[in-house]
Amino acid sequence: MRLIEWALVGALIFLPFATVNRIEVETQRKALLSELRYNAALDAAVDDAARMLTVNANQQRETQYESAKRVALNKDEAIAAFYRTLYASLGISDDPVAQGVLSRYIPAIAVIGYDGFYVYAEEEWTGADGHTEQKPVWGAKKPYAYADSSGNSLSFTLDDFVLAYDAGSRSWHEGLRADVGQQTNIALLKDAGRFEQVRRSTIVRAIEDELAYRINKHNESVSRYGFSYTFTLPTISQEEWHNTVDDVGVLA
């Protein structure tokens, strides 16, 4: 067989593989572009929600707080801004059907507050008429709670302010870490570095655990209706988490 014939045979063998590879590359390219588009839309929605979160109708109330991070949260306006921006970014502002479909892919939205956080997620209950209702609602505020091996309890905030229960004296104390540390025998309050480390890790763990629970609950719920997708909590570095919980904000 001549060289040109060998070349033709080789080309015929290689062509199907080249075609399949080109199709896979094109599919990956489209998937990447879609991911970038969705990420940009979600980032813009979260940014707008965070801005609306601190828009307060009661300005007088804000001046009464001793911490710049301790502000009243406008959660409903934040949620409205989140969805308004998300729908606009994806071109479905006037399409309620598409909006309903999209909402199924957002299992939970968390609002980080000064002394606790809130989660906006789907709940199911039986109404007065006996029919089952299911829609997203705000859950109760979850505190940043911590307990040590000695039975002491602490409720953290986004700064040094703390509510502490001293098991030894069976008394409650509230104030800045340094002040409460002098009033109690709680070892954690006497070590500024360790206090900061435990405070941040407690806040992160509380939010992570609640979001993981909400996502698992959502997966169980949608599986009953024949949906096959599965949500998981993304892996986020501790440094990124600590930056996220540095001030009031929104996670989606």
Side-chain angles (χ1 to χ4, degrees):
M1 188 178 289
R2 289 179 296 178
L3 182 61
I4 190 168
E5 293 174 332
W6 279 112
L8 288 172
V9 171
L12 290 173
I13 294 173
F14 175 73
L15 183 60
F17 296 102
T19 302
V20 170
N21 183 63
R22 186 168 65 250
I23 293 172
E24 290 180 349
V25 169
E26 180 63 17
T27 301
Q28 291 175 359
R29 187 185 72 84
K30 290 181 179 179
L32 178 60
L33 290 176
S34 295
E35 183 179 348
L36 292 173
R37 181 190 177 201
Y38 293 142
N39 284 340
L42 196 57
D43 287 344
V46 169
D47 286 343
D48 285 350
R51 276 191 288 271
M52 292 304 297
L53 190 63
T54 55
V55 173
N56 242 323
N58 188 351
Q59 297 295 330
Q60 183 63 33
R61 183 181 177 188
E62 291 183 352
T63 62
Q64 298 171 1
Y65 291 122
E66 68 279 358
S67 171
K69 299 179 182 181
R70 188 169 185 174
V71 295
L73 301 177
N74 202 335
K75 304 192 301 299
D76 291 331
E77 282 297 326
I79 284 294
F82 173 84
Y83 281 108
R84 185 166 57 245
T85 301
L86 188 62
Y87 296 156
S89 298
L90 297 178
I92 57 173
S93 295
D94 301 318
D95 189 343
V97 174
Q99 292 173 10
V101 172
L102 178 62
S103 67
R104 302 298 301 168
Y105 291 90
I106 306 173
I109 299 174
V111 166
I112 302 170
Y114 177 71
D115 56 356
F117 67 98
Y118 304 83
V119 172
Y120 186 76
E122 227 170 42
E123 290 286 357
E124 186 177 292
W125 67 91
T126 302
D129 57 359
H131 290 93
T132 300
E133 296 185 40
Q134 187 174 13
K135 67 176 183 178
V137 294
W138 285 109
K141 181 167 71 173
K142 305 280 186 178
Y144 308 128
Y146 170 83
D148 64 18
S149 58
S150 300
N152 301 307
S153 299
L154 300 171
S155 183
F156 294 117
T157 64
L158 296 180
D159 55 24
D160 276 358
F161 198 85
V162 64
L163 173 64
Y165 174 73
D166 187 346
S169 62
R170 297 184 180 180
S171 58
W172 288 92
H173 303 266
E174 186 176 25
L176 296 176
R177 176 202 60 80
D179 296 335
V180 177
Q182 294 177 354
Q183 302 166 9
T184 67
N185 293 316
I186 303 175
L188 180 62
L189 298 177
K190 302 180 185 302
D191 186 335
R194 184 164 174 268
F195 171 85
E196 182 64 12
Q197 180 183 11
V198 172
R199 182 186 71 82
R200 286 184 177 273
S201 62
T202 298
I203 294 174
V204 168
R205 186 165 55 251
I207 297 173
E208 274 189 314
D209 289 348
E210 181 65 20
L211 287 179
Y213 165 74
R214 292 292 177 176
I215 289 172
N216 289 333
K217 187 176 179 181
H218 180 82
N219 289 335
E220 292 176 2
S221 175
V222 298
S223 67
R224 299 202 303 265
Y225 300 102
F227 291 97
S228 60
Y229 61 79
T230 300
F231 282 99
T232 58
L233 192 65
T235 302
I236 304 175
S237 70
Q238 286 301 108
E239 182 179 357
E240 286 183 289
W241 262 122
H242 288 177
N243 291 334
T244 299
V245 300
D246 191 55
D247 207 339
V248 295
V250 178
L251 291 171

